[in-house]
Amino acid sequence: MSTIEQNLQQVTERISSTARQCGRDPQEITLLAVSKTKPVTVIEEAIRAGQTAFGENYVQEGIEKISYFQQKAVTTPLSWHFIGPLQSNKSRLVAEHFDWLHTLDRRQLAQRLNNQRPQALAPLNVLIQINISGEDSKSGILPAGLAELAAQVAELPRLRLRGLMAIPAPQADYQRQLAVFQKMAAIFGDLRRRHPGVDTLSLGMTDDMPAAIVAGSTLVRIGTAIFGARDYQAPTA
Ligand SMILES: *Cc1c(COP(=O)(O)O)cnc(C)c1O
């Protein structure tokens, strides 16, 4: 068994055991493998181990990988999630190549993506990013702006509003992680009542996954625990 296969198995087991401990069905939680900076050979190993959903942070790197797997015509359908900050001048590349965007944070970007999403593709699945730690430096909108942006996105036919995403400020302490994720879960509950199609709460990375699952995450974004530490100096495709 390859290291990546072993890592995927361990992460999957951790998701299942955490879910069961808090009375959730492990099937409700999608594992997104965050493959940023990792070469296609490593992604291929993950695909062989059964992984199908991948997250990328850099537009150019992401579309190179997507194109590679399209040309290879892998038989398993893959889904590609853009999870990095998105500049407006790169929106077309995301609209044309990705299946999901986790970092929607403004109306103008939503409108551009809606206009740019090719008719041949299903609507782009979008998550609105919430700045839950309230720091100036973090991207995402403040919770107070959510209702308005969500209503605007819901009107756009080439986007499909699926839910929310957040990257809280790192906290080593489990109880603090949980408290922030629970705030997100409450906001998610409100959004769901207004928009019944909403079903995805993207919360949790390698260092805070259990707290995210206990709070109600439906999608965890895991890089390091699957692929090992990242080397930002190395070539990325
Ligand atoms: C890199 C990244 C991850 C994965 O982080 P790990 O700590 O390696 O699991 C998850 N979400 C986002 C938005 C990221 O940029």
PDB file of all heavy atoms in Angstrom, residues 35-38 55-66 81-86 90 94 98 230 232 236:
ATOM      1  N   SER A  35      -4.671  19.342  -2.943  1.00  0.00           N
ATOM      2  CA  SER A  35      -3.465  18.896  -3.660  1.00  0.00           C
ATOM      3  C   SER A  35      -2.580  20.042  -4.133  1.00  0.00           C
ATOM      4  O   SER A  35      -1.669  19.836  -4.934  1.00  0.00           O
ATOM      5  CB  SER A  35      -3.896  18.025  -4.844  1.00  0.00           C
ATOM      6  OG  SER A  35      -4.987  18.596  -5.553  1.00  0.00           O
ATOM      7  N   LYS A  36      -2.822  21.253  -3.638  1.00  0.00           N
ATOM      8  CA  LYS A  36      -2.009  22.399  -4.053  1.00  0.00           C
ATOM      9  C   LYS A  36      -0.520  22.123  -3.829  1.00  0.00           C
ATOM     10  O   LYS A  36      -0.163  21.524  -2.808  1.00  0.00           O
ATOM     11  CB  LYS A  36      -2.419  23.658  -3.297  1.00  0.00           C
ATOM     12  CG  LYS A  36      -2.180  23.565  -1.801  1.00  0.00           C
ATOM     13  CD  LYS A  36      -2.606  24.849  -1.094  1.00  0.00           C
ATOM     14  CE  LYS A  36      -2.425  24.730   0.398  1.00  0.00           C
ATOM     15  NZ  LYS A  36      -3.465  25.401   1.167  1.00  0.00           N
ATOM     16  N   THR A  37       0.278  22.534  -4.768  1.00  0.00           N
ATOM     17  CA  THR A  37       1.745  22.364  -4.809  1.00  0.00           C
ATOM     18  C   THR A  37       2.189  20.911  -5.054  1.00  0.00           C
ATOM     19  O   THR A  37       3.379  20.648  -5.198  1.00  0.00           O
ATOM     20  CB  THR A  37       2.500  22.876  -3.544  1.00  0.00           C
ATOM     21  OG1 THR A  37       2.414  21.912  -2.491  1.00  0.00           O
ATOM     22  CG2 THR A  37       1.996  24.235  -3.084  1.00  0.00           C
ATOM     23  N   LYS A  38       1.244  19.970  -5.096  1.00  0.00           N
ATOM     24  CA  LYS A  38       1.621  18.560  -5.267  1.00  0.00           C
ATOM     25  C   LYS A  38       1.521  18.158  -6.740  1.00  0.00           C
ATOM     26  O   LYS A  38       0.577  18.551  -7.419  1.00  0.00           O
ATOM     27  CB  LYS A  38       0.703  17.660  -4.431  1.00  0.00           C
ATOM     28  CG  LYS A  38       0.797  17.935  -2.939  1.00  0.00           C
ATOM     29  CD  LYS A  38       2.170  17.599  -2.380  1.00  0.00           C
ATOM     30  CE  LYS A  38       2.308  17.990  -0.921  1.00  0.00           C
ATOM     31  NZ  LYS A  38       3.651  17.702  -0.397  1.00  0.00           N
ATOM     32  N   GLY A  55      -8.911  19.721  -4.161  1.00  0.00           N
ATOM     33  CA  GLY A  55      -8.955  21.169  -3.953  1.00  0.00           C
ATOM     34  C   GLY A  55      -7.645  21.806  -4.376  1.00  0.00           C
ATOM     35  O   GLY A  55      -6.565  21.303  -4.058  1.00  0.00           O
ATOM     36  N   GLU A  56      -7.744  22.920  -5.082  1.00  0.00           N
ATOM     37  CA  GLU A  56      -6.567  23.652  -5.554  1.00  0.00           C
ATOM     38  C   GLU A  56      -6.709  25.134  -5.184  1.00  0.00           C
ATOM     39  O   GLU A  56      -7.813  25.685  -5.199  1.00  0.00           O
ATOM     40  CB  GLU A  56      -6.436  23.514  -7.074  1.00  0.00           C
ATOM     41  CG  GLU A  56      -6.014  22.116  -7.525  1.00  0.00           C
ATOM     42  CD  GLU A  56      -4.535  21.812  -7.253  1.00  0.00           C
ATOM     43  OE1 GLU A  56      -3.736  22.765  -7.185  1.00  0.00           O
ATOM     44  OE2 GLU A  56      -4.190  20.620  -7.110  1.00  0.00           O
ATOM     45  N   ASN A  57      -5.569  25.772  -4.909  1.00  0.00           N
ATOM     46  CA  ASN A  57      -5.575  27.189  -4.483  1.00  0.00           C
ATOM     47  C   ASN A  57      -5.101  28.176  -5.527  1.00  0.00           C
ATOM     48  O   ASN A  57      -5.285  29.372  -5.358  1.00  0.00           O
ATOM     49  CB  ASN A  57      -4.627  27.393  -3.301  1.00  0.00           C
ATOM     50  CG  ASN A  57      -5.165  26.826  -2.031  1.00  0.00           C
ATOM     51  OD1 ASN A  57      -5.444  25.622  -1.970  1.00  0.00           O
ATOM     52  ND2 ASN A  57      -5.354  27.660  -1.032  1.00  0.00           N
ATOM     53  N   TYR A  58      -4.388  27.687  -6.544  1.00  0.00           N
ATOM     54  CA  TYR A  58      -3.800  28.588  -7.529  1.00  0.00           C
ATOM     55  C   TYR A  58      -4.398  28.253  -8.887  1.00  0.00           C
ATOM     56  O   TYR A  58      -4.415  27.081  -9.296  1.00  0.00           O
ATOM     57  CB  TYR A  58      -2.266  28.441  -7.535  1.00  0.00           C
ATOM     58  CG  TYR A  58      -1.696  28.533  -6.139  1.00  0.00           C
ATOM     59  CD1 TYR A  58      -1.311  27.395  -5.444  1.00  0.00           C
ATOM     60  CD2 TYR A  58      -1.630  29.771  -5.486  1.00  0.00           C
ATOM     61  CE1 TYR A  58      -0.839  27.473  -4.142  1.00  0.00           C
ATOM     62  CE2 TYR A  58      -1.161  29.858  -4.180  1.00  0.00           C
ATOM     63  CZ  TYR A  58      -0.772  28.708  -3.515  1.00  0.00           C
ATOM     64  OH  TYR A  58      -0.317  28.787  -2.220  1.00  0.00           O
ATOM     65  N   VAL A  59      -4.920  29.278  -9.577  1.00  0.00           N
ATOM     66  CA  VAL A  59      -5.718  29.042 -10.780  1.00  0.00           C
ATOM     67  C   VAL A  59      -4.916  28.280 -11.836  1.00  0.00           C
ATOM     68  O   VAL A  59      -5.360  27.242 -12.336  1.00  0.00           O
ATOM     69  CB  VAL A  59      -6.241  30.369 -11.359  1.00  0.00           C
ATOM     70  CG1 VAL A  59      -6.992  30.126 -12.655  1.00  0.00           C
ATOM     71  CG2 VAL A  59      -7.155  31.071 -10.359  1.00  0.00           C
ATOM     72  N   GLN A  60      -3.734  28.803 -12.166  1.00  0.00           N
ATOM     73  CA  GLN A  60      -2.976  28.209 -13.264  1.00  0.00           C
ATOM     74  C   GLN A  60      -2.571  26.762 -12.950  1.00  0.00           C
ATOM     75  O   GLN A  60      -2.740  25.859 -13.769  1.00  0.00           O
ATOM     76  CB  GLN A  60      -1.738  29.072 -13.554  1.00  0.00           C
ATOM     77  CG  GLN A  60      -1.132  28.816 -14.915  1.00  0.00           C
ATOM     78  CD  GLN A  60      -2.137  29.012 -16.049  1.00  0.00           C
ATOM     79  OE1 GLN A  60      -2.916  29.965 -16.039  1.00  0.00           O
ATOM     80  NE2 GLN A  60      -2.163  28.084 -16.999  1.00  0.00           N
ATOM     81  N   GLU A  61      -2.083  26.571 -11.758  1.00  0.00           N
ATOM     82  CA  GLU A  61      -1.693  25.213 -11.341  1.00  0.00           C
ATOM     83  C   GLU A  61      -2.901  24.268 -11.388  1.00  0.00           C
ATOM     84  O   GLU A  61      -2.799  23.133 -11.870  1.00  0.00           O
ATOM     85  CB  GLU A  61      -1.129  25.278  -9.914  1.00  0.00           C
ATOM     86  CG  GLU A  61      -0.721  23.927  -9.378  1.00  0.00           C
ATOM     87  CD  GLU A  61      -0.356  23.964  -7.888  1.00  0.00           C
ATOM     88  OE1 GLU A  61      -0.042  25.047  -7.360  1.00  0.00           O
ATOM     89  OE2 GLU A  61      -0.385  22.882  -7.272  1.00  0.00           O
ATOM     90  N   GLY A  62      -4.014  24.756 -10.935  1.00  0.00           N
ATOM     91  CA  GLY A  62      -5.222  23.923 -10.918  1.00  0.00           C
ATOM     92  C   GLY A  62      -5.656  23.526 -12.313  1.00  0.00           C
ATOM     93  O   GLY A  62      -5.929  22.352 -12.568  1.00  0.00           O
ATOM     94  N   ILE A  63      -5.697  24.484 -13.237  1.00  0.00           N
ATOM     95  CA  ILE A  63      -6.203  24.109 -14.567  1.00  0.00           C
ATOM     96  C   ILE A  63      -5.213  23.225 -15.322  1.00  0.00           C
ATOM     97  O   ILE A  63      -5.624  22.392 -16.114  1.00  0.00           O
ATOM     98  CB  ILE A  63      -6.683  25.310 -15.414  1.00  0.00           C
ATOM     99  CG1 ILE A  63      -5.582  26.285 -15.699  1.00  0.00           C
ATOM    100  CG2 ILE A  63      -7.856  25.999 -14.772  1.00  0.00           C
ATOM    101  CD1 ILE A  63      -6.057  27.446 -16.555  1.00  0.00           C
ATOM    102  N   GLU A  64      -3.940  23.348 -15.015  1.00  0.00           N
ATOM    103  CA  GLU A  64      -2.983  22.409 -15.638  1.00  0.00           C
ATOM    104  C   GLU A  64      -3.277  20.976 -15.193  1.00  0.00           C
ATOM    105  O   GLU A  64      -3.240  20.036 -15.978  1.00  0.00           O
ATOM    106  CB  GLU A  64      -1.539  22.783 -15.272  1.00  0.00           C
ATOM    107  CG  GLU A  64      -1.010  23.912 -16.142  1.00  0.00           C
ATOM    108  CD  GLU A  64       0.302  24.505 -15.625  1.00  0.00           C
ATOM    109  OE1 GLU A  64       1.041  23.796 -14.908  1.00  0.00           O
ATOM    110  OE2 GLU A  64       0.569  25.677 -15.965  1.00  0.00           O
ATOM    111  N   LYS A  65      -3.586  20.814 -13.928  1.00  0.00           N
ATOM    112  CA  LYS A  65      -3.887  19.462 -13.422  1.00  0.00           C
ATOM    113  C   LYS A  65      -5.216  18.955 -13.996  1.00  0.00           C
ATOM    114  O   LYS A  65      -5.332  17.798 -14.389  1.00  0.00           O
ATOM    115  CB  LYS A  65      -3.927  19.482 -11.898  1.00  0.00           C
ATOM    116  CG  LYS A  65      -2.553  19.709 -11.284  1.00  0.00           C
ATOM    117  CD  LYS A  65      -2.647  19.880  -9.776  1.00  0.00           C
ATOM    118  CE  LYS A  65      -1.270  20.178  -9.191  1.00  0.00           C
ATOM    119  NZ  LYS A  65      -1.366  20.483  -7.746  1.00  0.00           N
ATOM    120  N   ILE A  66      -6.218  19.844 -14.034  1.00  0.00           N
ATOM    121  CA  ILE A  66      -7.520  19.435 -14.572  1.00  0.00           C
ATOM    122  C   ILE A  66      -7.354  18.968 -16.027  1.00  0.00           C
ATOM    123  O   ILE A  66      -7.866  17.918 -16.419  1.00  0.00           O
ATOM    124  CB  ILE A  66      -8.541  20.589 -14.467  1.00  0.00           C
ATOM    125  CG1 ILE A  66      -8.836  20.900 -12.997  1.00  0.00           C
ATOM    126  CG2 ILE A  66      -9.819  20.262 -15.221  1.00  0.00           C
ATOM    127  CD1 ILE A  66      -9.624  22.198 -12.770  1.00  0.00           C
ATOM    128  N   HIS A  81     -12.261  21.560  -6.914  1.00  0.00           N
ATOM    129  CA  HIS A  81     -12.748  22.671  -6.096  1.00  0.00           C
ATOM    130  C   HIS A  81     -11.685  23.756  -6.049  1.00  0.00           C
ATOM    131  O   HIS A  81     -10.544  23.481  -5.661  1.00  0.00           O
ATOM    132  CB  HIS A  81     -13.018  22.189  -4.669  1.00  0.00           C
ATOM    133  CG  HIS A  81     -14.095  21.157  -4.543  1.00  0.00           C
ATOM    134  ND1 HIS A  81     -15.151  21.298  -3.677  1.00  0.00           N
ATOM    135  CD2 HIS A  81     -14.284  19.966  -5.170  1.00  0.00           C
ATOM    136  CE1 HIS A  81     -15.946  20.236  -3.767  1.00  0.00           C
ATOM    137  NE2 HIS A  81     -15.444  19.410  -4.669  1.00  0.00           N
ATOM    138  N   PHE A  82     -12.063  24.981  -6.392  1.00  0.00           N
ATOM    139  CA  PHE A  82     -11.124  26.091  -6.235  1.00  0.00           C
ATOM    140  C   PHE A  82     -11.329  26.666  -4.840  1.00  0.00           C
ATOM    141  O   PHE A  82     -12.413  27.146  -4.501  1.00  0.00           O
ATOM    142  CB  PHE A  82     -11.317  27.163  -7.313  1.00  0.00           C
ATOM    143  CG  PHE A  82     -10.186  28.152  -7.271  1.00  0.00           C
ATOM    144  CD1 PHE A  82      -8.951  27.822  -7.806  1.00  0.00           C
ATOM    145  CD2 PHE A  82     -10.331  29.376  -6.642  1.00  0.00           C
ATOM    146  CE1 PHE A  82      -7.868  28.700  -7.721  1.00  0.00           C
ATOM    147  CE2 PHE A  82      -9.256  30.264  -6.552  1.00  0.00           C
ATOM    148  CZ  PHE A  82      -8.031  29.923  -7.095  1.00  0.00           C
ATOM    149  N   ILE A  83     -10.258  26.633  -4.018  1.00  0.00           N
ATOM    150  CA  ILE A  83     -10.412  27.016  -2.609  1.00  0.00           C
ATOM    151  C   ILE A  83      -9.523  28.195  -2.227  1.00  0.00           C
ATOM    152  O   ILE A  83      -9.449  28.555  -1.050  1.00  0.00           O
ATOM    153  CB  ILE A  83     -10.137  25.806  -1.675  1.00  0.00           C
ATOM    154  CG1 ILE A  83      -8.687  25.313  -1.816  1.00  0.00           C
ATOM    155  CG2 ILE A  83     -11.103  24.658  -1.969  1.00  0.00           C
ATOM    156  CD1 ILE A  83      -8.308  24.242  -0.787  1.00  0.00           C
ATOM    157  N   GLY A  84      -8.836  28.795  -3.189  1.00  0.00           N
ATOM    158  CA  GLY A  84      -7.965  29.936  -2.887  1.00  0.00           C
ATOM    159  C   GLY A  84      -8.672  31.253  -3.138  1.00  0.00           C
ATOM    160  O   GLY A  84      -9.765  31.284  -3.692  1.00  0.00           O
ATOM    161  N   PRO A  85      -8.055  32.351  -2.735  1.00  0.00           N
ATOM    162  CA  PRO A  85      -8.632  33.667  -3.051  1.00  0.00           C
ATOM    163  C   PRO A  85      -8.670  33.849  -4.563  1.00  0.00           C
ATOM    164  O   PRO A  85      -7.748  33.426  -5.257  1.00  0.00           O
ATOM    165  CB  PRO A  85      -7.649  34.657  -2.418  1.00  0.00           C
ATOM    166  CG  PRO A  85      -6.616  33.862  -1.705  1.00  0.00           C
ATOM    167  CD  PRO A  85      -6.759  32.420  -2.045  1.00  0.00           C
ATOM    168  N   LEU A  86      -9.752  34.446  -5.072  1.00  0.00           N
ATOM    169  CA  LEU A  86      -9.911  34.573  -6.528  1.00  0.00           C
ATOM    170  C   LEU A  86      -9.960  36.036  -6.947  1.00  0.00           C
ATOM    171  O   LEU A  86     -10.864  36.776  -6.557  1.00  0.00           O
ATOM    172  CB  LEU A  86     -11.184  33.847  -6.978  1.00  0.00           C
ATOM    173  CG  LEU A  86     -11.467  33.863  -8.485  1.00  0.00           C
ATOM    174  CD1 LEU A  86     -10.299  33.295  -9.293  1.00  0.00           C
ATOM    175  CD2 LEU A  86     -12.754  33.106  -8.791  1.00  0.00           C
ATOM    176  N   LYS A  90      -9.152  36.552 -12.981  1.00  0.00           N
ATOM    177  CA  LYS A  90      -8.964  35.109 -13.212  1.00  0.00           C
ATOM    178  C   LYS A  90     -10.279  34.342 -13.117  1.00  0.00           C
ATOM    179  O   LYS A  90     -10.296  33.109 -13.167  1.00  0.00           O
ATOM    180  CB  LYS A  90      -7.981  34.541 -12.195  1.00  0.00           C
ATOM    181  CG  LYS A  90      -6.614  35.210 -12.282  1.00  0.00           C
ATOM    182  CD  LYS A  90      -5.481  34.251 -12.076  1.00  0.00           C
ATOM    183  CE  LYS A  90      -4.153  34.899 -12.381  1.00  0.00           C
ATOM    184  NZ  LYS A  90      -3.237  34.824 -11.246  1.00  0.00           N
ATOM    185  N   VAL A  94     -11.659  29.963 -13.723  1.00  0.00           N
ATOM    186  CA  VAL A  94     -12.371  29.138 -12.745  1.00  0.00           C
ATOM    187  C   VAL A  94     -13.739  28.733 -13.294  1.00  0.00           C
ATOM    188  O   VAL A  94     -14.141  27.566 -13.216  1.00  0.00           O
ATOM    189  CB  VAL A  94     -12.488  29.877 -11.394  1.00  0.00           C
ATOM    190  CG1 VAL A  94     -13.460  29.177 -10.457  1.00  0.00           C
ATOM    191  CG2 VAL A  94     -11.105  29.982 -10.742  1.00  0.00           C
ATOM    192  N   PHE A  98     -13.457  24.663 -13.308  1.00  0.00           N
ATOM    193  CA  PHE A  98     -13.692  24.035 -12.000  1.00  0.00           C
ATOM    194  C   PHE A  98     -15.165  23.639 -11.826  1.00  0.00           C
ATOM    195  O   PHE A  98     -16.045  24.137 -12.543  1.00  0.00           O
ATOM    196  CB  PHE A  98     -13.275  24.985 -10.873  1.00  0.00           C
ATOM    197  CG  PHE A  98     -11.775  25.002 -10.648  1.00  0.00           C
ATOM    198  CD1 PHE A  98     -10.947  25.803 -11.421  1.00  0.00           C
ATOM    199  CD2 PHE A  98     -11.197  24.198  -9.671  1.00  0.00           C
ATOM    200  CE1 PHE A  98      -9.569  25.814 -11.228  1.00  0.00           C
ATOM    201  CE2 PHE A  98      -9.820  24.205  -9.467  1.00  0.00           C
ATOM    202  CZ  PHE A  98      -9.008  25.006 -10.246  1.00  0.00           C
ATOM    203  N   ARG A 230       3.906  20.674   2.617  1.00  0.00           N
ATOM    204  CA  ARG A 230       4.090  21.284   1.296  1.00  0.00           C
ATOM    205  C   ARG A 230       5.430  21.997   1.210  1.00  0.00           C
ATOM    206  O   ARG A 230       5.875  22.600   2.171  1.00  0.00           O
ATOM    207  CB  ARG A 230       2.962  22.282   1.016  1.00  0.00           C
ATOM    208  CG  ARG A 230       1.651  21.634   0.688  1.00  0.00           C
ATOM    209  CD  ARG A 230       0.553  22.653   0.513  1.00  0.00           C
ATOM    210  NE  ARG A 230       0.173  23.293   1.756  1.00  0.00           N
ATOM    211  CZ  ARG A 230      -0.729  22.816   2.619  1.00  0.00           C
ATOM    212  NH1 ARG A 230      -1.349  21.688   2.359  1.00  0.00           N
ATOM    213  NH2 ARG A 230      -0.997  23.455   3.729  1.00  0.00           N
ATOM    214  N   TYR A 232       6.829  24.974  -0.792  1.00  0.00           N
ATOM    215  CA  TYR A 232       6.401  26.045  -1.688  1.00  0.00           C
ATOM    216  C   TYR A 232       7.503  26.467  -2.662  1.00  0.00           C
ATOM    217  O   TYR A 232       7.252  27.224  -3.579  1.00  0.00           O
ATOM    218  CB  TYR A 232       5.889  27.239  -0.899  1.00  0.00           C
ATOM    219  CG  TYR A 232       4.520  26.965  -0.332  1.00  0.00           C
ATOM    220  CD1 TYR A 232       4.355  26.524   0.969  1.00  0.00           C
ATOM    221  CD2 TYR A 232       3.384  27.111  -1.131  1.00  0.00           C
ATOM    222  CE1 TYR A 232       3.100  26.263   1.482  1.00  0.00           C
ATOM    223  CE2 TYR A 232       2.127  26.843  -0.629  1.00  0.00           C
ATOM    224  CZ  TYR A 232       1.989  26.416   0.682  1.00  0.00           C
ATOM    225  OH  TYR A 232       0.756  26.153   1.165  1.00  0.00           O
ATOM    226  N   THR A 236       5.357  23.550  -9.280  1.00  0.00           N
ATOM    227  CA  THR A 236       4.045  23.113  -8.811  1.00  0.00           C
ATOM    228  C   THR A 236       3.212  22.364  -9.835  1.00  0.00           C
ATOM    229  O   THR A 236       2.070  22.081  -9.585  1.00  0.00           O
ATOM    230  CB  THR A 236       3.228  24.311  -8.317  1.00  0.00           C
ATOM    231  OG1 THR A 236       3.212  25.271  -9.365  1.00  0.00           O
ATOM    232  CG2 THR A 236       3.844  24.895  -7.059  1.00  0.00           C
TER     233      THR A 236
END
